[in-house]
Every structure is written in structure tokens, then in C-alpha cells.
Amino acid sequence: GDPVNTGFPLKPAAETNKGLFVTLFYLDPDNTENLYYANNNRLWRTISASTVLSTTTGVNGWNQMTGTSGAVTGNITSFATTRGTYNATHNLYIGTDGAKIFRLKDPRNTATTTVPDNITPAGITAGSTVIGISVAPQNDDTVMAVISNYGAASVFWTGNATAATPVWYNV
């Protein structure tokens, strides 16, 4: 058989844009039915990751988060979620190549039109890419973000990430 054609289409059926070279999926490590897919500035969500492949109609179990698409500056490049058993206080953190960080509250249950909060640190240099975000396993308020850009601040930390306006420190 042809090993190249033995896979399954995992991306949303309704997503017709070929998007970026690197396909960006994020599986919530503690709530593995919650799977996110990014294509350019578009975010998709499924809350049934274990069965998303078995659905062949509609958007095959995916919902486009249109509120995020309208708010995100640049392409989505990184994700992180609150750790632990899912509840309504969980957050999805989204980084972009437009030097922005967003927070989407209750990403599993929120309406697809919900606009995420822009919680970008003041010190991120324009033109930078947020290449990594990490949330402390025991405290959703503790978040680190890694920024890629020459000669610019590269790591930011906050101890109040769930505040309306988090205070970020260049570390």
C-alpha cells in the first residue's frame, strides 16, 4: 500500500484555506476531548476529540471561533490552557506572530462569537512572534510567554494572568 495516503483528515472539513506551513493543533493535556486547531488567524474547537474523525458531515465536530478570528492580530502561533480538571474558570491562552497574547475564558463552553481578551505585555516588541506559552500546573495566574525576535525582550512572566489587565515582567 501507499503509506502516504493512509492518514485521516483531522482538520475541520469547512476550513478550505491551506494556511501556514506548520499545522497548529493543541490538545488540552488534562481534558483530552478539548482540541484546538489554528489556521492563520482562525481558531477552531472540538470538545469531542476522540470521535471527531468518525464524523463525516458538516464541519466534522469542529466549531469555528469567529470572535477570535476577528480579534487576533497576525497568525496564531502558540497555545496553552489552564491545567487540571476542566471547569468554567479555565482559560485558553493564544500567542500570535503579531506580537500579541490573548486569553479566552471558558474555551470549551464559550459562544463561538466570544472575543478573547488582549492581555499582551507592554514590553513585547512589534514584529515579534509569541512562540511558546506555559501555564503553571497549580496556578492559572502564573503564565510565562516566550517571544522570538532578535535584540528584543524574550521571556515574560505574570502572576496575575486572570486579572482584567495582567502585570507582565520581562524576565
Side-chain angles (χ1 to χ4, degrees):
D2 183 356
V4 174
N5 295 317
T6 58
F8 294 92
L10 183 58
K11 77 175 193 162
E15 179 58 86
T16 57
N17 188 326
K18 292 188 184 210
L20 301 174
F21 176 74
V22 176
T23 304
L24 188 59
F25 285 97
Y26 180 79
L27 181 65
D28 182 328
D30 299 311
N31 305 282
T32 56
E33 288 298 311
N34 301 339
L35 178 63
Y36 305 93
Y37 167 71
N39 191 350
N40 297 324
N41 71 329
R42 290 182 302 284
L43 174 66
W44 296 77
R45 153 189 87 191
T46 183
I47 59 172
S48 56
S50 64
T51 59
V52 74
L53 288 176
S54 64
T55 305
T56 58
T57 59
V59 292
N60 64 324
W62 292 95
N63 291 302
Q64 185 177 6
M65 306 300 288
T66 57
T68 298
S69 300
V72 167
T73 302
N75 298 308
I76 295 172
T77 55
S78 56
F79 292 114
T81 50
T82 301
R83 300 300 306 264
T85 303
Y86 194 89
N87 63 58
T89 65
H90 269 57
N91 292 296
L92 173 66
Y93 296 93
I94 304 164
T96 76
D97 67 1
K100 300 289 183 192
I101 299 174
F102 296 91
R103 177 187 60 219
L104 185 61
K105 297 176 183 176
D106 192 11
R108 178 185 179 117
N109 301 309
T110 194
T112 58
T113 56
T114 300
V115 176
D117 300 318
N118 182 344
I119 60 166
T120 304
I124 290 184
T125 303
S128 297
T129 298
V130 181
I131 60 169
I133 302 172
S134 182
V135 181
Q138 302 299 323
N139 185 348
D140 187 33
D141 267 326
T142 304
V143 173
M144 289 189 86
V146 178
I147 313 304
S148 175
N149 197 347
Y150 293 105
S154 298
V155 181
F156 289 86
W157 174 90
T158 183
N160 67 340
T162 59
T165 307
V167 176
W168 292 88
Y169 298 94
N170 174 3
V171 296

